[in-house]
Amino acid sequence: MYELLFWRYLDEIYLNNQEVYEALLEKQEVNGLEILPTQVILNRIGSVFSEWEKVDENSWKNNRGKGAFQIITTPQSIKIDCYGTEGRTMNKLVDLLEEFKCPLYDPQVPERYDEMSE
């Protein structure tokens, strides 16, 4: 599994990304993060991946190739667990979340890919 996590900071706020990640995994509310339009984001992902089989409300499987992913949301975050998913598919997911100004936090590295990264 490869994990992708997305959130958006409020203006003029920037926190420790690892601590934010850990809090969001525990489904805690984090002061300084925006509330996301999670249903709009899920709908957008569903339309972009419309050729994939929708296994359940938040899971997609590629019947024509490799990979599957599951999305777990909180009001402040979108977490995507990728299973055997190709890099270009993960890049497409990252680009989709960029449309909503939610840069990727990659906990495997760990690094957040936004203009504030150190």
Side-chain angles (χ1 to χ4, degrees):
M1 180 190 67
Y2 202 93
E3 192 175 48
L4 309 172
L5 195 70
F6 305 87
W7 67 81
R8 187 167 56 208
Y9 286 114
L10 294 169
D11 287 342
E12 306 300 317
I13 300 226
Y14 201 76
L15 306 170
N16 179 299
N17 292 319
Q18 183 64 30
E19 291 174 6
V20 170
Y21 164 73
E22 290 169 8
L24 291 172
L25 278 188
E26 298 296 320
K27 300 195 183 311
Q28 297 172 7
E29 185 174 326
V30 179
N31 289 331
L33 299 188
E34 289 192 27
I35 301 299
L36 299 178
T38 52
Q39 193 55 55
V40 173
I41 293 169
L42 287 171
N43 291 344
R44 176 79 176 116
I45 292 169
S47 69
V48 169
F49 287 90
S50 61
E51 293 187 9
W52 287 41
E53 177 186 345
K54 192 165 182 184
V55 179
D56 61 34
E57 228 13 65
N58 298 311
S59 302
W60 286 262
K61 180 171 91 174
N62 187 356
N63 286 330
R64 297 183 185 166
K66 291 183 180 178
F69 61 88
Q70 178 180 32
I71 301 175
I72 299 159
T73 64
T74 72
Q76 297 177 312
S77 69
I78 302 283
K79 179 174 169 276
I80 305 176
D81 294 332
C82 299
Y83 303 93
T85 308
E86 294 179 337
R88 64 189 166 140
T89 301
M90 288 192 273
N91 288 339
K92 188 185 285 189
L93 289 164
V94 170
D95 291 344
L96 275 170
L97 272 292
E98 277 291 331
E99 292 176 18
F100 296 93
K101 297 185 178 11
C102 295
L104 167 66
Y105 178 74
D106 184 338
Q108 286 83 198
V109 177
E111 189 170 339
R112 183 169 158 94
Y113 296 92
D114 64 4
E115 68 280 354
M116 298 298 292
S117 288
E118 298 151 295

